[in-house]
Amino acid sequence: MTRNSRTFAVTEIGSRLLQHGQQIRAETQTAITAALDSATTPSGPLRVACPIALSSALVADVAVAFARAHPRVQMHLTTTHGTDAPRCDPYDLVIHPSNQSLPDSDLIARRLVQLSYVLVAAPSLMEASAWPMTPQELRGKPAIGWNSRDAWASWQLNGPDGESVNVHLPVQFGGDSLIAVLKAALAGLGIARLPWLMCRPHVEAEDLRIVTAGWAPAPTSIYVLYSSRRQLSLAGKAFIATLSQAMIAENWGEQ
């Protein structure tokens, strides 16, 4: 700035500095506004991995509805078999079923719902007179296994009076997804361990029958996993809440 006893004027360099400062202030206010908006509105990429059976049953529909409700979120849904050890990279959220305690890791696990399981088989698998009513009557019957490596299916069945029995059945067919297990059961290849929610329509249609009524496998919990090494985004938190509400609304089981 130039100045004398009567007047003063901003120099050229001073004018440029003023304009630059005003530009920085405007950009800062824009960044603050965007940050405040993002704090209340889900936005950004959200990468979710989910077993194909759960995706087909509910999660894909929830993901599509969520993306429509939140256009600032870039939704990516990947299907998995659900049999591998859970890992988050490169995903933000992993939907993972487990009937055992999850191993210690750098993952945060939140249980969404607990699914009831039953043993079922096609009516064509055996004569009505030979239909198994107790765990002991399962001996020698063919089973549908969870993968191709197991020659035997080992299941723990819980009885009505708090009893627990372990049964071991020869595997006739192995599948690495619940959909494959269900199809094999409907084809009469063996006794299958399946979520009640998944096979209920087929039981009601009499395509499948419950085996050893009153004796059921332990329930399986559905978890959502995410890394503890980075902060979960607002989009991730909102999707977890939406999925949890959808599972409750669809009567998937107990929280």
Side-chain angles (χ1 to χ4, degrees), residues 110-192:
R110 173 180 167 183
R111 193 176 77 174
L112 295 175
V113 73
Q114 183 171 267
L115 299 180
S116 298
Y117 270 64
V118 291
L119 295 185
V120 292
S124 60
L125 183 63
M126 45 196 123
E127 298 293 334
S129 59
W131 199 260
M133 302 302 295
T134 66
Q136 291 74 20
E137 294 174 355
L138 292 173
R139 186 174 302 164
K141 300 293 192 296
I144 299 172
W146 184 236
N147 58 60
S148 60
R149 297 185 299 271
D150 296 334
W152 294 84
S154 298
W155 297 324
Q156 178 179 308
L157 304 180
N158 300 321
D161 299 321
E163 303 170 83
S164 180
V165 174
N166 292 319
V167 297
H168 306 281
L169 308 180
V171 170
Q172 176 74 21
F173 178 92
D176 61 358
S177 76
L178 290 177
I179 293 177
V181 172
L182 174 61
K183 289 184 176 182
L186 289 169
L189 293 179
I191 298 170

Side-chain angles (χ1 to χ4, degrees), residues 3 16 46 97 106 134 137 159 168-169 211 214 249:
R3 179 176 182 178
R16 290 202 300 267
L46 181 61
D106 62 350
T134 66
E137 294 174 355
H168 306 281
L169 308 180
V211 177

Side-chain angles (χ1 to χ4, degrees), residues 6-127:
R6 294 184 180 181
T7 63
F8 68 91
V10 178
T11 63
E12 182 180 353
I13 189 171
S15 178
R16 290 202 300 267
L17 286 173
L18 176 62
Q19 292 176 358
H20 185 59
Q22 290 173 334
Q23 182 180 356
I24 291 175
R25 184 177 67 176
E27 291 173 352
T28 300
Q29 290 175 339
T30 300
I32 291 174
T33 300
L36 291 174
D37 287 344
S38 65
T40 57
T41 303
S43 61
L46 181 61
R47 299 158 298 181
V48 179
C50 176
I52 187 171
L54 297 181
S55 178
S56 300
L58 180 67
V59 178
D61 290 337
V62 172
V64 170
F66 184 85
R68 291 189 64 184
H70 303 286
R72 295 178 62 179
V73 175
Q74 295 84 51
M75 189 82 197
H76 302 275
L77 180 63
T78 300
T79 55
T80 66
H81 291 307
T83 56
D84 298 329
R87 292 184 55 191
C88 270
D89 293 337
Y91 308 108
D92 300 301
L93 301 174
V94 174
I95 312 301
H96 184 73
S98 178
N99 57 3
Q100 300 176 349
S101 299
L102 295 176
D104 293 335
S105 67
D106 62 350
L107 301 180
I108 296 175
R110 173 180 167 183
R111 193 176 77 174
L112 295 175
V113 73
Q114 183 171 267
L115 299 180
S116 298
Y117 270 64
V118 291
L119 295 185
V120 292
S124 60
L125 183 63
M126 45 196 123
E127 298 293 334

Side-chain angles (χ1 to χ4, degrees), residues 230-254:
R230 60 178 183 265
Q231 184 176 3
L232 185 63
S233 68
L234 180 62
K237 295 176 182 177
F239 183 77
I240 292 174
T242 301
L243 182 57
S244 178
Q245 292 169 1
M247 287 182 170
I248 295 172
E250 294 292 326
N251 297 315
W252 269 42
E254 302 176 357

